[in-house]
Amino acid sequence: MINSGPVLSAEQFQQLQILDTCTVSNAIETFGVRLRNEGFAHGSIRCQFPRLSPMLGYAVTGTIRASSAPMSGRCYYDRIDFWRHVLSVPPPRVIVLQDTDPMPGFGAIFGEIHTRICMALNGVGYVTNGSVRDLGAVEKTGFHLFSASVAVSHAYAHIVEFGEPVELGGLKVRPGDLVHGDRHGIHIIPPSIAGEVPRAAAELVRREKELIELCASPDFTLDALEKSFDAMKQERLCD
């Protein structure tokens, strides 16, 4: 079942899309909707193209394997049923595939061809605990790749299942989840507060700017720093 929540307007989506993941993560914390050790992938899932602007899209989930041939005997890219399923998730789309091989990353299912197909279907990025390849060609397209490794070959890479929740890098992802990523990594923006995150982020940025200016000021003292922290606590910008 696709994760549902309040539908973001085009303006709300654009406001979120320009924010970096650290700012958004800090903003999410102010709502108290989840524990602070949840909602993000740990460092094993790395951004392959850190110079790209942030990625934001709705998750299309599935599982893959590469160390053995698919039971159907199809070639690795022949899964029209999967690509039809991709269209069932609202755009823009982020493909999130959990590699279930005993040694994830043995072969890469996503390279230039899958990138081109995905982009034609309004896809903006791919996330996996496995591997990716064709980095040079993919980077030129502006398509995002997040993975635990890179690989030379696709080996027997193939889709096993799709449309169910997956877990990678300690992050549980459900179909339709709002996935946000940049050079720092990826996380999920809770749908219940997604539309309010830009406002909270703006307040945090304002307070952080004031704190940075204080640190650079000749009038800096620990008493002034404590006062700034107290003000942030009163505004629930930190706990």
Side-chain angles (χ1 to χ4, degrees):
M1 179 180 294
I2 295 177
N3 186 22
S4 60
V7 177
L8 292 177
S9 67
E11 182 180 4
Q12 288 173 322
F13 194 94
Q14 291 171 358
Q15 290 173 343
L16 274 175
Q17 193 171 25
I18 63 175
L19 298 174
D20 67 86
T21 54
C22 295
T23 299
V24 173
S25 178
N26 289 346
I28 291 172
E29 289 178 357
T30 67
F31 291 92
V33 295
R34 69 185 180 204
L35 298 176
R36 293 189 179 186
N37 60 354
E38 297 178 347
F40 58 90
H42 55 58
S44 65
I45 311 300
R46 297 187 294 274
C47 175
Q48 297 298 335
F49 307 135
R51 294 183 180 180
L52 294 182
S53 57
M55 174 191 75
L56 185 67
Y58 298 98
V60 179
T61 61
T63 58
I64 58 173
R65 296 196 68 179
S67 61
S68 58
M71 296 296 292
S72 66
R74 293 177 176 178
C75 55
Y76 79 105
Y77 54 82
D78 184 16
R79 285 303 299 266
I80 294 299
D81 55 340
F82 170 71
W83 295 117
R84 293 188 189 282
H85 169 71
V86 168
L87 295 177
S88 70
V89 173
R93 305 170 174 105
V94 175
I95 310 299
V96 183
L97 299 181
Q98 179 182 354
D99 190 329
T100 59
D101 263 332
M103 186 175 67
F106 185 88
I109 195 170
F110 244 83
E112 184 178 14
I113 297 301
H114 272 67
T115 292
R116 292 293 185 177
I117 296 172
C118 192
M119 292 179 69
L121 299 177
N122 207 348
V124 294
Y126 172 62
V127 182
T128 184
N129 62 315
S131 61
V132 293
R133 65 180 198 148
D134 297 335
L135 298 187
V138 175
E139 184 173 19
K140 291 177 182 178
T141 69
F143 188 84
H144 290 265
L145 294 180
F146 293 84
S147 68
S149 60
V150 296
V152 172
S153 173
H154 52 70
Y156 287 110
H158 61 281
I159 301 287
V160 178
E161 296 178 341
F162 52 82
E164 299 296 329
V166 296
E167 183 173 343
L168 61 170
L171 175 65
K172 295 181 179 179
V173 183
R174 296 175 294 171
D177 274 349
L178 188 57
V179 182
H180 184 223
D182 65 9
R183 67 185 66 189
H184 302 100
I186 63 164
H187 65 157
I188 301 297
I189 301 176
S192 61
I193 52 95
E196 298 299 318
V197 166
R199 175 194 56 77
E203 287 300 309
L204 281 169
V205 170
R206 177 183 63 81
R207 266 299 178 183
E208 289 178 352
K209 181 181 178 182
E210 292 175 356
L211 184 57
I212 291 171
E213 290 175 348
L214 172 63
C215 292
S217 169
D219 298 324
F220 174 83
T221 65
L222 289 180
D223 287 340
L225 180 63
E226 183 178 20
K227 183 178 179 180
S228 180
F229 284 158
D230 287 342
M232 293 181 72
K233 290 177 181 178
Q234 290 176 7
E235 296 181 32
R236 298 185 61 82
L237 297 180
C238 68
D239 292 314

